[in-house]
Amino acid sequence: MLLLQSIQSMMERKATRLLLLPLSVLLIASFALWGITDIFTLTNQDVVIAEVGDVEIEGNDFLRLYNAQTEQVRAALGRRLDYDMGKKLGFIDSVVSDLVNRALFDQASLDLGLAAGDTQARQVIFATPDFHDERGTFNELVFRQVLRDNLYTEERFIKGLRQDMRRQQLTASMAGILHAPAAIISPLVAYRGEARSADSIILKAESVSLPDKITSKEQRAWYEENKDSLMTPTYRQVSLLAVDVYQLGEEMAIDDERLRGLYDERKAYAYTQPERRDIYQILSDDEDAIRRAVERVRKGEDFLAVAKDLFDKDKEDVDIGWNRKDQVIEDLADDVFSLAKGKVSDPLRSPFGWHAMLVHNIEEEKVTPFDDVKKALRDELILDEGMDALFDLYGQVEDAFAGGGTLEEAAQAINVEVRAIDSIDSAGLSAQGKEVDSLPDPARVVSRLFETPVGETSDVIETEVGFFVVRVDDETLPRQKTFKEARKDIIEVLTQEKKSAILRERIEDIKGQLNKKASLASIAKKLSLKVVPIKPFTRSNFVEEEVPAAMVDALFAAERGEAVAVEVDGGSYMVALLRDIIETPKEGDDVETLRESIKQSLRQDLVSQYARYLRLIYPIDINERSIQELLDGSEDFL
């Protein structure tokens, strides 16, 4: 979890619990509070990518947020996103917009004279869970390590926290002036909190048998009516040069003895799941009370009952869950892990007090066998040792193309065969409707071969474990399918249409029976179906697997006792009988939570409107050239 989210959450609880705009990237407090000098040197601090009023947005802030937002895309593509790609996918504009919003609030808070001093910053730091040790208290060593892991300088550190604190003051003050009238809140609470329950059955499409086969006449008629839409896809004929590190691995000498050695090295920490114990613990400063507790348990009394009687502790107070030996306090570990299941320890002492420990359950040590990880170990060695050879082959292919060579000549240079693919469409299927197999990265190969003009060769494209090049040799344009080619699809469509018609007739019949006061249970029994109760749900809080969104809408539009039906996956239908309408309670924790959620939404809307207003009064200057130089010149995003 990003540290700023923890800090902001803690600050919000101390203020108004207002939901802040998502304006910030990772910002934490400062070494300066302890007088510690700068220990890091970061690049890109002097690069300014935008100015908002008098506030400058620095390159580091941009790269950090850009890196976070593009992480999944970069992993999927197997490479970083440069300026052009980031602009095309909208990431650059999104990051800049977020940072500009931050800066707008920074400038506004400065103009209003809002301040955040050392004392306030220190309080925030001490209260931030990310800086706490295992006992839940602030630990300076943990604090320093977190800063070191996140690469923050003293200057950036203190500046970031104070900016967040000033923004918090500004948004909290805005929350304070907002009063949501009961005339607005009450109807919204009633609408959002209303719940409904129902009983349902599923009429499955596959359970329907057609009385007659679909005739050739019906098939031909459907074809004539719809043939303009029955088109073959575009097919391309391509030549593919692909290399991956595992191909190279076939030539590597990696024997079982070497793999066994690697397994033995890692066995203790990677392939062994240590013994764990489910432990109950009573902790007290009163030694005599602990001794009485141990004695009573050993005489046959229930541990939890004794904990409740002597110490007023419930199960959640004494159940410390599953623990490995290294997770138990060192002074207690040997004693606890020598106990048999169901046994209680002697009174034990630690720096925290006196303990009575009971082993509720034991999970024995588990070791993953060598044969189960042998292939993974081999692949790991291949990947590790084959990358240098792969890079060398990549360079040779690049050199061959740079010298004007053809795809075949590049393949010959690295002793790899070019693969000819006679037909492939945009879904990766051949003209026979089968998936074209053994593509190195199917989605990227297909995408690239349809981006490359006919007669041309693509760039050398990297994958996670190799590279490929495609040449588009020819193209077959779409044409209208013949009746013979379309016949299978036509039969499927007509079959589905007829089954749906039969199901709709059955549904109308079921509705009629229910309207005549027949029970859903009796109808289900006749049809050999099971009635499935749908637990109470609201318009926004429901389980899609139990009640699809379309059924939620239908049931909220129905009257009590009314039957409704919606189509679900695969042409099947769900029929539901609205059993109950549960009005929103006037009071209660859930209602108060809902009411507060609505208020927060209104406050958030107010903050968003204020941000739009700030954009009108403060000048915003974005330096696209600096952003481009920052991205295209940075090999590693932090």
Side-chain angles (χ1 to χ4, degrees), residues 531-578:
V531 175
V532 179
I534 300 175
K535 295 179 291 187
F537 59 92
T538 67
R539 288 178 172 88
S540 60
N541 187 12
F542 58 90
V543 180
E544 179 75 27
E545 290 75 15
E546 296 177 2
V547 51
M551 179 56 77
V552 171
D553 293 339
L555 286 171
F556 269 96
E559 301 291 336
R560 185 182 278 105
E562 182 180 351
V564 294
V566 298
E567 187 173 358
V568 291
D569 294 338
S572 299
Y573 282 83
M574 173 183 277
V575 180
L577 183 67
L578 181 58

Side-chain angles (χ1 to χ4, degrees), residues 13-276:
R13 289 194 296 271
K14 296 172 78 72
T16 66
R17 303 188 64 81
L18 173 65
L19 293 176
L20 293 176
L21 283 170
L23 307 178
S24 303
V25 291
L26 184 66
L27 295 171
I28 39 188
S30 171
F31 277 121
L33 303 177
W34 282 269
I36 301 172
T37 57
D38 238 6
I39 61 171
F40 302 124
T41 300
L42 293 183
T43 59
N44 304 317
Q45 277 188 297
D46 297 329
V47 178
V48 175
I49 63 103
E51 294 181 11
V52 179
D54 297 327
V55 177
E56 294 181 341
I57 300 176
E58 297 176 355
N60 269 337
D61 288 338
F62 174 84
L63 284 181
R64 190 172 285 108
L65 185 55
Y66 185 78
N67 189 42
Q69 290 197 8
T70 61
E71 181 177 1
Q72 290 186 341
V73 177
R74 289 187 298 120
L77 294 178
R79 62 184 179 89
R80 65 185 181 86
L81 270 64
D82 58 15
Y83 177 83
D84 290 338
M85 184 64 73
K87 197 73 175 175
K88 181 178 179 181
L89 296 177
F91 286 110
I92 291 176
D93 291 341
S94 173
V95 170
V96 170
S97 178
D98 285 348
L99 293 175
V100 166
N101 281 339
R102 273 186 54 204
L104 287 167
F105 277 72
D106 290 339
Q107 184 65 64
S109 63
L110 290 171
D111 287 350
L112 292 170
L114 302 180
D118 286 352
T119 300
Q120 294 169 294
R122 187 180 290 109
Q123 290 174 347
V124 171
I125 293 168
F126 274 74
T128 302
D130 295 272
F131 302 145
H132 293 175
D133 57 22
E134 60 186 12
R135 293 174 295 178
T137 59
F138 175 80
N139 186 302
E140 188 173 344
L141 293 177
V142 174
F143 172 71
R144 293 186 185 185
Q145 185 60 49
V146 170
L147 292 181
R148 186 174 293 110
D149 290 345
N150 287 280
L151 301 176
Y152 267 88
T153 69
E154 176 183 346
E155 180 183 3
R156 294 293 305 134
F157 191 46
I158 185 112
K159 180 180 177 183
L161 180 60
R162 285 177 170 163
Q163 285 174 336
D164 272 357
M165 294 175 71
R166 288 196 300 267
R167 285 195 295 270
Q168 174 65 26
Q169 293 178 51
L170 179 58
T171 54
S173 66
M174 294 173 62
I177 66 172
L178 178 65
H179 172 69
I184 294 177
I185 294 294
S186 296
L188 288 174
V189 169
Y191 180 82
R192 291 192 185 182
E194 179 187 334
R196 302 202 167 196
S197 61
D199 293 314
S200 68
I201 57 175
I202 299 291
L203 301 177
K204 295 185 177 181
E206 56 264 31
S207 68
V208 177
S209 298
L210 298 184
D212 301 302
K213 289 186 178 181
I214 298 171
T215 65
S216 297
K217 184 178 179 180
E218 289 176 303
Q219 297 171 31
R220 178 66 70 174
W222 194 95
Y223 173 78
E224 293 298 330
E225 186 176 345
N226 297 277
K227 62 183 179 182
D228 289 343
S229 63
L230 299 173
M231 304 295 291
T232 62
T234 298
Y235 290 105
R236 288 197 158 190
Q237 295 78 51
V238 300
S239 297
L240 172 68
L241 166 60
V243 179
D244 69 52
V245 70
Y246 298 113
Q247 290 175 254
L248 306 179
E250 296 173 1
E251 302 174 6
M252 294 182 184
I254 301 177
D255 56 26
D256 283 1
E257 182 178 354
R258 185 178 175 193
L259 295 174
R260 172 67 73 172
L262 185 58
Y263 171 82
D264 290 340
E265 287 177 15
R266 299 179 178 180
K267 181 178 179 180
Y269 65 87
Y271 305 125
T272 300
Q273 180 179 311
E275 176 186 334
R276 298 195 309 159

Side-chain angles (χ1 to χ4, degrees), residues 560-597:
R560 185 182 278 105
E562 182 180 351
V564 294
V566 298
E567 187 173 358
V568 291
D569 294 338
S572 299
Y573 282 83
M574 173 183 277
V575 180
L577 183 67
L578 181 58
R579 183 172 64 243
D580 200 7
I581 299 175
I582 306 164
E583 303 294 342
T584 306
K586 295 193 181 206
E587 297 299 335
D589 291 342
D590 291 342
V591 175
E592 186 56 36
T593 299
L594 183 57
R595 186 177 288 117
E596 184 60 29
S597 173

Side-chain angles (χ1 to χ4, degrees), residues 163-422:
Q163 285 174 336
D164 272 357
M165 294 175 71
R166 288 196 300 267
R167 285 195 295 270
Q168 174 65 26
Q169 293 178 51
L170 179 58
T171 54
S173 66
M174 294 173 62
I177 66 172
L178 178 65
H179 172 69
I184 294 177
I185 294 294
S186 296
L188 288 174
V189 169
Y191 180 82
R192 291 192 185 182
E194 179 187 334
R196 302 202 167 196
S197 61
D199 293 314
S200 68
I201 57 175
I202 299 291
L203 301 177
K204 295 185 177 181
E206 56 264 31
S207 68
V208 177
S209 298
L210 298 184
D212 301 302
K213 289 186 178 181
I214 298 171
T215 65
S216 297
K217 184 178 179 180
E218 289 176 303
Q219 297 171 31
R220 178 66 70 174
W222 194 95
Y223 173 78
E224 293 298 330
E225 186 176 345
N226 297 277
K227 62 183 179 182
D228 289 343
S229 63
L230 299 173
M231 304 295 291
T232 62
T234 298
Y235 290 105
R236 288 197 158 190
Q237 295 78 51
V238 300
S239 297
L240 172 68
L241 166 60
V243 179
D244 69 52
V245 70
Y246 298 113
Q247 290 175 254
L248 306 179
E250 296 173 1
E251 302 174 6
M252 294 182 184
I254 301 177
D255 56 26
D256 283 1
E257 182 178 354
R258 185 178 175 193
L259 295 174
R260 172 67 73 172
L262 185 58
Y263 171 82
D264 290 340
E265 287 177 15
R266 299 179 178 180
K267 181 178 179 180
Y269 65 87
Y271 305 125
T272 300
Q273 180 179 311
E275 176 186 334
R276 298 195 309 159
R277 297 189 166 211
D278 188 15
I279 303 168
Y280 290 170
Q281 168 189 259
I282 302 174
L283 173 62
S284 174
D285 293 329
D286 190 338
E287 178 185 358
D288 290 338
I290 289 293
R291 290 190 180 280
R292 290 197 303 273
V294 170
E295 184 178 350
R296 287 174 59 175
V297 173
R298 286 181 173 171
K299 287 181 178 179
E301 291 191 53
D302 180 70
F303 188 90
L304 297 178
V306 172
K308 183 66 175 178
D309 182 40
L310 293 181
F311 303 94
D312 195 27
K313 293 180 180 290
D314 296 319
K315 181 180 178 182
E316 56 266 25
D317 300 317
V318 301
D319 186 353
I320 62 174
W322 288 94
N323 292 267
R324 303 187 306 270
K325 188 173 183 179
D326 61 358
Q327 294 174 314
V328 178
I329 299 171
E330 187 176 356
D331 296 343
L332 312 177
D334 288 339
D335 292 288
V336 172
F337 273 75
S338 65
L339 292 171
K341 178 180 177 180
K343 297 298 182 180
V344 67
S345 69
D346 292 330
L348 302 174
R349 189 174 186 179
S350 80
F352 300 98
W354 286 89
H355 306 253
M357 314 286 284
L358 180 133
V359 175
H360 182 245
N361 211 340
I362 298 175
E363 185 180 88
E364 300 294 342
E365 177 183 272
K366 297 178 182 177
V367 179
T368 304
F370 169 68
D371 288 341
D372 289 359
V373 297
K374 178 179 173 181
K375 182 180 185 304
L377 289 172
R378 182 183 299 278
D379 288 346
E380 180 184 332
L381 289 178
I382 290 172
L383 188 62
D384 183 46
E385 298 176 6
M387 290 307 290
D388 288 340
L390 185 70
F391 290 143
D392 180 60
L393 296 180
Y394 182 94
Q396 292 182 52
V397 170
E398 287 275 26
D399 291 342
F401 285 128
T406 64
L407 184 68
E408 286 73 17
E409 289 169 338
Q412 186 177 10
I414 61 172
N415 195 29
V416 172
E417 292 186 2
V418 174
R419 176 185 176 185
I421 300 176
D422 294 332

Side-chain angles (χ1 to χ4, degrees), residues 479-493:
R479 59 170 176 77
Q480 191 178 93
K481 289 182 179 180
T482 64
F483 174 72
K484 183 178 180 181
E485 291 173 326
R487 189 167 181 266
K488 181 180 178 182
D489 293 336
I490 293 171
I491 292 174
E492 288 182 2
V493 170

